[in-house]
């Protein structure tokens, strides 16, 4: 299995919560080794690090900066350029509402407002129980289905502000059963 | 070769040059706020747009290579309107407090707006907030003035290999600065000020010490002395309309006296002292290695350049024992002025104010380092850049061009030509070789006009080897030894030398590092705009100053002999050790 796949899978797996920070950093080293510490591999390494840790804490960025021999400012520049990267812990389900042109004209902003109200959080924040976090997405390439929102890797098409509560409910249910039941 | 047509005029240029460079060869300067010499195009400002026959859109001249038969139009209506629009848009989001801006009259955006005849800005855009970063002793950043040209990013990352600055965020909200929203004191910035030297506007400037100097000059209780670094005399004239490379040593001295300084001295004097101390230190290290076979840190690195010191503290902490323990000439001057001179004049050190004029912003940082108070108080109180001194002279109403040539004061105003060349890359090395060779062999350096040609000039890394033959009996252990030296300027070149030494690829005895390209003459505090032609002119002026002197070697400076006799004792002696030497500490990058 490729290291990428392993990490992606691991990130989606609840087991990662049990790995210590030290073990995660060792895994990060493996990812960087996999790319031969190639300076050009900054973005894929950041993507995989985010999958692994759930977000990009500063010690992770420092390590990537040191191993790729790239200035910290440059790594930070890339992280702050892409809305996909996050420096704060994310909820289990990351909600991204597309605000691209097609989605925007078909009411994505109202969808976003409804979600903010429903979750009680602002953009870039996570709910207290770490079930959800909310971000603006750039175009997902599904303009014909606008407005589009993604929850984790699920794409929801033609979403309506009034249906947000119901949409969130399914994820909430699975989240709380996991919380109670521990490991699946 | 390619035949191209610029505004209908045929001309033949080399293949692959950019349209911008081709136009320059024709004497046509296209406006740009981001392009820098010897650096690949940034393409951020878009001001150099031109119309190219057959191209749908306007193209940036700095990033478009010529091709055979290309027809280029640089001043068509479409081009002019586009450029005006770009300038207006830049102005619309620029915090334009031009009357009170430090860069007023020395601002490339202001110049371009004037040259293009912009009389109104048709747009009222959203503006970036003016977030001020005054966290370091040397530099001030103002985000509201930044036009995001990225010159500072290029110079910090490529020329200096420091990488403290990079664009953060995206779109309108992009900020040019340290990681995320950190301040400069939270990242490994060496405070060299090359960013401030290339900034086209007032977004990065040196921390102003002018008010403090005026206040000291007005204070009757204070005895205020000034020292000027060798690089100032070859550049200050540029602020008063002289051609780059005009020596203004005498006029500068007169101007300083008119400003009210009680003593006008020369950092050159302590540059000579540096050679005595550093030369002795090098010979001692060699003796320990060759005679005692002791573990000793070699090669030895020069320590005059505070940006380089900080760079080593951040990035090469394992090499700190290799740095000469000598303070820089600025700090030696401060320490000697507040002890030797103060005592001679009967003035308590607290009542003596030492001002230095430096081509450098990192010197402001160096003066405030906690180790730099061996006289009992802060050894150097204020550091002015060349630009700040020019501003003081102008604000005092002094007609610089009409001044007569003044002479510096004794006992710290006499210096050798070897001290002058401290301003140039390779200069400290040459000065050290002149003295070390003569001390070891008893004969003057057998080179044409005492110049060590291989270490002269703008090449990034220079090397030389010198075989020692028939030394004096006390230096017999050096007989037949081939001294290998290297010189690097610009910290990216320093990094290359360090990596070569670290890997064992290169071995040297002595290495000179100057932080800024060209050495101090290209420092971050020098008049703008410094390119290689200006660097070369200043370098030549400095060699001219050196060659014009009878006294060419540091150890023959009678005032230096006098201070050892009256006060210091001998090089590396107890008092010298206390006042003229320092120590270094590894610096932690907060992001580590």
């Amino acid at each position: 299995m490729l290291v990428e796949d392993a990490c992606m899978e691991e990130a989606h797996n609840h087991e990662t919560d049990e790995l210590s920070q030290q073990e995660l950093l060792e895994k990060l080293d493996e990812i960087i080794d996999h790319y031969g510490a190639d300076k050009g591999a900054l973005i894929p390494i950041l993507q995989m690090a985010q999958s692994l840790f759930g977000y990009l804490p500063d010690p992770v960025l420092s390590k990537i900066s040191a191993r790729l021999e790239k200035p910290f400012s440059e790594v930070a520049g890339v992280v702050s350029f892409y809305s996909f990267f996050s420096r704060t812990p994310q909820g289990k389900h990351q909600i991204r509402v597309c605000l691209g042109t097609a989605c925007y004209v078909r009411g994505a902003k109202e969808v976003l407002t409804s979600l903010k109200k429903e979750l009680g959080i602002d953009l870039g924040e996570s709910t207290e129980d770490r079930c959800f976090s909310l971000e603006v997405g750039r175009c997902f390439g599904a303009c014909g289905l606008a407005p589009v929102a993604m929850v984790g890797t699920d794409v929801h098409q033609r979403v309506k502000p009034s249906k947000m509560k119901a949409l969130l409910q399914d994820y909430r249910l699975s989240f709380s059963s996991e919380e109670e039941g521990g490991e699946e | 070769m390619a035949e191209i047509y610029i505004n209908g005029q045929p001309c033949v240029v080399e293949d692959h040059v950019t349209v911008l460079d081709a136009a320059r060869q024709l004497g046509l300067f296209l406006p740009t706020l981001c392009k820098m010499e010897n650096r690949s195009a940034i393409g951020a400002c878009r001001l150099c747009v031109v119309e190219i026959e057959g191209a749908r859109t306007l193209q940036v001249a700095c990033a478009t290579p010529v091709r055979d038969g290309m027809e280029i139009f640089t001043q068509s209506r479409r081009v002019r309107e586009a450029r005006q629009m770009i300038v207006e848009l830049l102005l619309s989001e620029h915090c334009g407090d031009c009357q009170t801006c430090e860069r007023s009259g020395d601002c490339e955006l202001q110049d371009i707006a004037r040259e293009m005849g912009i009389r109104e800005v048709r747009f009222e855009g959203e503006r970036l907030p003016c977030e001020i970063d005054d966290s370091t002793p040397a530099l001030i950043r103002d985000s509201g003035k930044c036009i995001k040209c990225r010159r500072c990013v290029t110079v910090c990352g490529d020329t200096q290999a420091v990488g403290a600055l990079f664009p953060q965020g995206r779109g309108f909200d992009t900020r040019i600065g340290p990681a995320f929203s950190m301040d400069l004191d939270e990242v490994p910035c060496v405070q060299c000020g090359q960013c401030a030297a290339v900034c086209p506007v007032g977004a990065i400037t040196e921390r102003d010490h002018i008010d403090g100097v005026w206040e000291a000059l007005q204070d009757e209780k204070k005895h205020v002395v000034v020292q000027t670094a060798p690089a100032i005399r070859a550049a200050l004239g540029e602020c008063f309309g002289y051609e780059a490379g005009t020596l203004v040593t005498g006029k500068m001295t007169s101007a300083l006296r008119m400003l009210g300084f009680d003593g006008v001295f020369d950092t050159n004097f302590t540059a000579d002292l540096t050679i005595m101390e550093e030369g002795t230190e090098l010979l001692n290290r060699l003796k320990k290695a060759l005679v005692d076979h002791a573990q000793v840190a070699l090669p030895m690195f020069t320590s005059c350049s505070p940006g380089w010191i900080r760079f080593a503290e951040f990035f090469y902490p394992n090499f700190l024992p290799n740095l000469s323990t000598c303070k820089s000439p600025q700090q030696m001057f401060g320490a000697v002025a507040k002890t030797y001179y103060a005592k001679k004049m009967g003035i308590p050190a607290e009542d003596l104010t030492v001002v230095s004029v430096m081509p450098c912003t990192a010197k402001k940082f160096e003066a405030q380092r906690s180790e730099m108070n061996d006289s009992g108080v802060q050894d150097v109180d204020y550091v002015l850049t060349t630009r700040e001194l020019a501003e003081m002279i102008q604000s005092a109403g002094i007609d610089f061009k009409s001044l007569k040539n003044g002479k510096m004061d004794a006992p710290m105003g006499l210096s050798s030509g070897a001290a002058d060349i401290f301003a140039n890359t390779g200069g400290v090395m040459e000065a050290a070789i002149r003295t070390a060779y003569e001390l070891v062999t008893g004969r003057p350096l057998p080179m044409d006009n005492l110049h060590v040609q291989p270490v002269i000039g703008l090449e990034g890394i220079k090397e030389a080897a010198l075989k020692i033959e028939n030394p004096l009996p006390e230096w017999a252990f050096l007989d037949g030894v081939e001294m290998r030296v290297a010189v690097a300027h610009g910290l990216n070149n320093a990094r290359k030398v360090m990596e070569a030494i670290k890997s064992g690829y290169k071995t040297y005895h002595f290495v000179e590092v100057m932080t800024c390209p060209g050495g101090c003459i290209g420092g971050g505090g020098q008049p703008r705009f410094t390119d290689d032609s200006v660097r070369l002119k200043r370098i030549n002026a400095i060699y001219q100053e050196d060659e014009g002197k009878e006294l060419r070697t540091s150890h023959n400076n009678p005032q230096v002999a006098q201070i050892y006799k009256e006060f210091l004792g001998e090089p590396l002696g107890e008092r010298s050790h206390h006042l003229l030497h320092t120590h270094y500490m590894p610096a932690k990058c907060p992001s580590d």
Side-chain angles (χ1 to χ4, degrees):
Chain A
M1 191 189 274
L2 284 173
V3 181
E4 291 98 318
D5 300 338
C7 295
M8 291 291 182
E9 189 167 290
E10 204 137 19
H12 291 295
N13 193 326
H14 235 49
E15 273 173 38
T16 29
D17 292 349
E18 305 223 324
L19 288 178
S20 70
Q21 195 73 3
Q22 191 51 44
E23 287 167 313
L24 285 172
L25 284 171
E26 280 165 22
K27 284 206 175 297
L28 177 60
D29 268 325
E30 283 172 29
I31 294 173
I32 298 172
D33 289 339
H34 171 72
Y35 283 99
D38 178 5
K39 280 184 204 283
L42 175 61
I43 289 178
I45 290 172
L46 285 170
Q47 282 177 307
M48 290 166 67
Q50 179 154 304
S51 303
L52 190 62
F53 289 82
Y55 70 113
L56 292 169
D58 284 357
V60 168
L61 298 180
S62 291
K63 189 179 192 74
I64 294 173
S65 151
R67 291 269 339 254
L68 299 191
E69 293 179 6
K70 263 183 184 301
F72 188 70
S73 66
E74 188 175 338
V75 175
V78 171
V79 169
S80 58
F81 183 88
Y82 292 104
S83 59
F84 174 80
F85 293 126
S86 171
R87 290 171 69 217
T88 47
Q90 296 294 294
K92 175 155 175 24
H93 302 291
Q94 197 185 16
I95 305 176
R96 289 186 291 149
V97 180
C98 176
L99 286 186
T101 314
C103 292
Y104 191 90
V105 298
R106 299 199 60 168
K109 211 169 175 197
E110 287 71 32
V111 171
L112 187 61
T113 312
S114 163
L115 276 168
K116 281 186 194 170
K117 205 174 137 206
E118 196 57 46
L119 296 167
I121 56 173
D122 210 341
L123 279 176
E125 294 178 351
S126 304
T127 53
E128 216 161 274
D129 62 1
R130 287 276 165 82
C131 182
F132 296 107
S133 50
L134 186 60
E135 295 282 342
V136 166
R138 298 297 160 190
C139 186
F140 306 136
C143 309
L145 311 173
V148 178
M150 286 183 78
V151 182
T153 50
D154 305 339
V155 180
H156 296 271
Q157 52 171 301
R158 300 221 165 93
V159 287
K160 292 195 173 67
S162 58
K163 299 278 172 63
M164 286 303 103
K165 193 170 184 168
L167 181 94
L168 296 175
Q169 197 55 31
D170 295 343
Y171 291 98
R172 273 192 180 127
L173 284 175
S174 72
F175 179 75
S176 51
S177 69
E178 274 173 35
E179 289 287 286
E180 279 161 26
E183 293 303 305
E184 281 170 290
Chain B
M1 300 301 271
E3 186 172 19
I4 58 168
Y5 302 86
I6 298 186
N7 303 327
Q9 253 192 68
C11 59
V12 176
V13 292
E14 274 186 40
D15 288 325
H16 309 304
V17 300
T18 63
V19 172
L20 188 84
D21 288 336
R24 276 189 189 174
Q25 286 170 24
L26 276 188
L28 198 59
F29 281 76
L30 303 179
T32 176
L33 287 170
C34 67
K35 182 74 180 83
M36 283 190 295
E37 180 184 60
N38 303 332
R39 295 283 158 217
S40 49
I42 303 171
C45 79
R46 319 307 286 177
L47 267 173
C48 64
V49 285
V50 292
E51 208 171 341
I52 291 172
E53 188 64 41
R56 189 173 55 85
T57 53
L58 298 178
Q59 305 290 312
V60 279
C62 65
T64 307
V66 296
R67 70 185 139 67
D68 204 33
M70 192 181 246
E71 287 183 59
I72 301 151
F73 301 93
T74 68
Q75 48 216 24
S76 65
R77 183 172 172 167
R78 190 175 165 210
V79 167
R80 279 186 292 116
E81 282 180 357
R83 282 194 197 138
Q84 285 190 344
M85 174 74 89
I86 292 165
V87 175
E88 278 186 69
L89 287 170
L90 281 174
L91 291 172
S92 79
E93 60 177 65
H94 175 69
C95 166
D97 55 353
C98 292
Q99 294 92 332
T100 52
C101 178
E102 192 163 332
R103 290 296 296 271
S104 185
D106 178 26
C107 170
E108 292 179 49
L109 180 59
Q110 199 181 45
D111 288 348
I112 279 179
R114 190 186 58 244
E115 285 160 12
M116 282 191 191
I118 308 283
R119 290 289 169 266
E120 65 163 331
V121 177
R122 288 168 291 169
F123 319 104
E124 193 153 339
E126 195 181 334
R127 289 191 179 181
L128 285 173
C130 291
E131 282 158 5
I132 307 291
D133 172 6
D134 58 356
S135 61
T136 60
L139 299 164
I140 312 275
R141 294 166 52 240
D142 179 348
S143 63
K145 288 182 181 163
C146 176
I147 59 164
K148 297 164 191 166
C149 68
R150 289 152 210 233
R151 277 188 191 165
C152 57
V153 175
T154 306
V155 83
C156 188
D158 296 353
T159 312
Q160 300 297 60
V162 169
L165 303 172
F166 202 81
Q168 308 293 321
R170 73 190 287 171
F172 180 79
D173 295 316
T174 306
R175 298 275 195 287
I176 309 291
F180 302 115
S181 52
M182 289 179 184
D183 281 340
L184 273 181
D185 70 340
E186 298 175 84
V187 299
C189 165
V190 303
Q191 304 184 41
C192 67
Q194 283 297 313
C195 52
V198 298
C199 181
V201 293
I204 311 183
T205 55
E206 66 267 49
R207 182 186 287 275
D208 194 325
H209 282 191
I210 293 175
D211 286 349
V213 174
W214 278 127
E215 208 164 296
L217 287 170
Q218 304 290 310
D219 189 339
E220 281 177 13
K221 278 196 299 228
K222 295 276 185 202
H223 182 91
V224 189
V225 299
V226 64
Q227 54 164 325
T228 55
I232 314 300
R233 61 208 65 181
L236 180 66
E238 291 165 44
C239 300
F240 299 95
Y242 285 100
E243 171 75 5
T246 309
L247 284 168
V248 293
T249 323
K251 288 187 193 301
M252 174 183 74
T253 310
S254 301
L256 289 166
R257 226 178 276 293
M258 283 176 82
L259 285 173
F261 288 102
D262 300 305
V264 179
F265 297 117
D266 207 336
T267 312
N268 278 8
F269 168 74
T270 39
D272 278 334
L273 209 52
T274 301
I275 287 299
M276 298 305 292
E277 295 290 328
E278 202 165 277
T280 311
E281 186 184 359
L282 177 65
L283 291 172
N284 276 355
R285 286 192 194 212
L286 290 174
K287 192 173 179 196
K288 270 188 198 152
L290 297 172
V291 180
D292 311 338
H293 301 287
Q295 275 287 336
V296 57
L298 282 171
M300 187 173 90
F301 294 98
T302 56
S303 57
C304 306
S305 186
W308 151 241
I309 297 295
R310 200 70 186 138
F311 186 80
E313 288 179 325
F314 274 126
F315 300 107
Y316 293 96
N318 293 338
F319 279 91
L320 293 181
N322 296 62
L323 294 180
S324 161
T325 59
C326 287
K327 287 181 183 172
S328 71
Q330 158 174 286
Q331 292 308 133
M332 284 196 186
F333 183 94
V336 166
K338 291 202 175 177
T339 52
Y340 170 64
Y341 175 76
K343 201 169 149 202
K344 235 178 158 66
M345 301 294 289
I347 305 164
E350 302 78 51
D351 291 338
L352 185 72
T353 301
V354 174
V355 176
S356 55
V357 186
M358 294 285 142
C360 181
T361 55
K363 291 278 173 194
K364 290 175 187 272
F365 159 73
E366 184 187 42
Q368 294 187 12
R369 285 183 72 124
S370 58
E371 312 89 85
M372 298 300 175
N373 52 11
D374 288 330
S375 65
V377 288
Q378 186 173 317
D379 295 335
V380 173
D381 298 278
Y382 300 106
V383 181
L384 300 170
T385 61
T386 315
R387 299 187 291 257
E388 286 174 87
L389 174 62
E391 199 181 316
M392 282 186 76
I393 294 170
Q394 278 157 351
S395 82
I398 296 169
D399 178 8
F400 190 79
K401 281 193 158 176
S402 73
L403 293 178
K404 294 210 163 53
N405 287 338
K407 261 198 145 39
M408 296 199 191
D409 295 317
M412 298 181 292
L414 184 70
S415 63
S416 72
D420 283 306
I421 60 174
F422 264 57
N424 293 346
T425 167
V428 175
M429 181 58 70
E430 182 172 315
I433 290 177
R434 282 184 197 173
T435 283
Y437 190 88
E438 202 171 316
L439 290 183
V440 167
T441 64
R443 306 182 297 271
L445 187 66
M447 288 187 184
D448 186 27
N449 215 355
L450 293 180
H451 289 316
V452 186
Q453 279 303 336
V455 300
I456 289 177
L458 282 181
E459 201 178 322
I461 298 169
K462 295 164 281 186
E463 293 174 314
L466 182 69
K467 196 165 185 177
I468 295 171
E469 280 163 336
N470 302 322
L472 295 172
E474 54 184 309
W475 301 106
F477 66 93
L478 286 173
D479 199 10
V481 170
E482 191 183 58
M483 291 282 295
R484 286 185 307 277
V485 302
V487 169
H489 59 117
L491 291 172
N492 188 34
N493 292 321
R495 200 183 266 279
K496 286 182 195 159
V497 170
M498 295 306 283
E499 292 301 323
I501 293 170
K502 220 163 106 175
S503 67
Y505 176 62
K506 293 276 185 185
T507 50
Y508 303 109
H509 295 101
F510 191 31
V511 179
E512 175 207 287
V513 179
M514 293 195 191
T515 305
C516 294
C520 308
I521 52 91
Q526 291 283 58
R528 300 179 184 95
F529 194 91
T530 303
D531 59 12
D532 277 353
S533 77
V534 171
R535 286 186 189 100
L536 279 174
K537 284 177 187 163
R538 292 180 190 155
I539 284 175
N540 289 335
I542 291 289
Y543 284 121
Q544 193 189 319
E545 182 91 335
D546 163 37
E547 287 163 11
K549 284 186 180 169
E550 284 274 306
L551 183 61
R552 300 284 303 283
T553 48
S554 302
H555 58 284
N556 290 321
N557 182 339
Q559 287 185 1
V560 167
Q562 187 189 351
I563 193 174
Y564 276 116
K565 190 164 160 242
E566 287 180 9
F567 184 66
L568 289 171
E570 53 175 0
L572 287 180
E574 199 189 322
R575 194 170 252 169
S576 296
H577 182 78
H578 173 62
L579 289 176
L580 308 182
H581 291 258
T582 184
H583 58 275
Y584 312 104
M585 296 280 282
K588 227 178 121 51
C589 307
S591 47
D592 281 348

